[in-house]
Amino acid sequence: MLRRNRPSTSARVKVVTTDIPATQGVLLAGGLARRMGGGDKPMRTIGGRTILERVIARLSPQCSGLILNANGDPARFAAFGLQVIADDVPGFPGPLAGILAALDWTATNRPEIEWVLSAAGDCPFLPRDLVARLHKARMRENAQLAVAASGDQSHPVIGLWHVALRDELRHALVDEDLRKIDRWTARYPLATVTWPAKPLDPFFNANTVEDIAEAERLAALDDAA
C-alpha cells in the first residue's frame, strides 16, 4: 500500500510544468554491454554526440535534476557533470537495483521529491513529453506506477516510481531475489503509456554493434525534426 508522505516542500525545486510533481531523473547505465564486447553503451557516439549526451539533453528539461546509476569507477562519467550512484545490492541484479539506489538517494538528498523517473542510458531518442505523459496517465488511472511502451512492446525500465515504495522494492530484491521489473510492477496498480513506433521508435536502444549503425540513421532523422 502506498504511504502518503508529508506535504512536499518542492518550492525549492524547479518544476518543468505546473501540473506535474517535481520528478528526480535517474539514467540507468549499469549494464555490462556484453553484446558490444563490454564497455559503457551510453558512451558510444552517434551523429557526433555520445548517446548519454542525447539522453541528458532529452530529460534535463523534464526533470528537477538528473543522476546517473553506474557501477565501477565513476570518474569515467566526470565530463557529464552528474552525480553517479552505484547499486548497493551486490551481484549486478539488474535495473531494479539501479531504481532502488535512485529511490534511496532521492529520499536522502531530495526529500521534498516523491517521484523518480528512470530511463535507460542507451535510449538516445526519448520523448520530450515522457515525464508529463507518464504523470498524467498515473493520475488519471489512480495508479502507483507508470511505464512506457511503443507499438506493442512495453519498456518497464522507463517509468515513474514513488519513493515511498523503496522499502518494498528492497525486500523484493534482497529477500525474494526478484529480478524482473514487470514481475514487481505487477504487484501495483500500473499505468502504461504508449508512443507510436513509427517513423522513429522513441525507445530504440543500442544493444549491438549493428544497432549503432541503425542509430546513426535514426539520429539523422531525429536531428532534422
Side-chain angles (χ1 to χ4, degrees), residues 136-175:
K136 289 174 182 177
R138 62 98 188 157
M139 288 188 284
R140 182 174 61 248
E141 301 176 28
N142 196 28
Q144 290 179 265
L145 304 171
V147 298
S150 57
D152 59 357
Q153 182 178 358
S154 178
H155 306 288
V157 75
I158 300 171
L160 283 176
W161 319 95
H162 201 288
V163 174
L165 293 176
R166 62 196 182 99
D167 291 338
E168 294 173 31
L169 177 54
R170 180 174 296 279
H171 175 81
L173 269 170
V174 175
D175 299 324

Side-chain angles (χ1 to χ4, degrees), residues 95-96 99 147 156-157 161 178-186:
L96 276 178
I99 293 169
V147 298
V157 75
W161 319 95
L178 186 144
R179 295 292 181 263
K180 290 186 176 295
I181 296 180
D182 52 6
R183 284 187 58 199
W184 191 65
T185 58

Side-chain angles (χ1 to χ4, degrees), residues 26-27 67-71 74 82-87 97-106 109:
V26 58
L27 311 181
I67 56 176
L68 180 68
N69 166 244
N71 299 300
L82 298 182
Q83 173 79 39
V84 180
I85 62 169
D87 299 346
I99 293 169
L100 174 60
L103 296 180
D104 285 342
W105 184 92
T106 302
N109 296 279

Side-chain angles (χ1 to χ4, degrees), residues 57-81:
R58 286 302 177 94
L59 288 185
S60 288
Q62 303 184 52
C63 296
S64 300
L66 292 178
I67 56 176
L68 180 68
N69 166 244
N71 299 300
D73 184 2
R76 68 194 192 276
F77 297 107
F80 298 96

Side-chain angles (χ1 to χ4, degrees), residues 2 7 12 15 40 42 52 56 58 71 82 84 94 101-102 119 126 133 161 176 191:
L2 184 63
R12 298 187 301 271
V15 181
D40 296 298
L52 187 56
I56 292 170
R58 286 302 177 94
N71 299 300
L82 298 182
V84 180
L126 291 168
R133 286 193 62 190
W161 319 95
E176 301 177 39

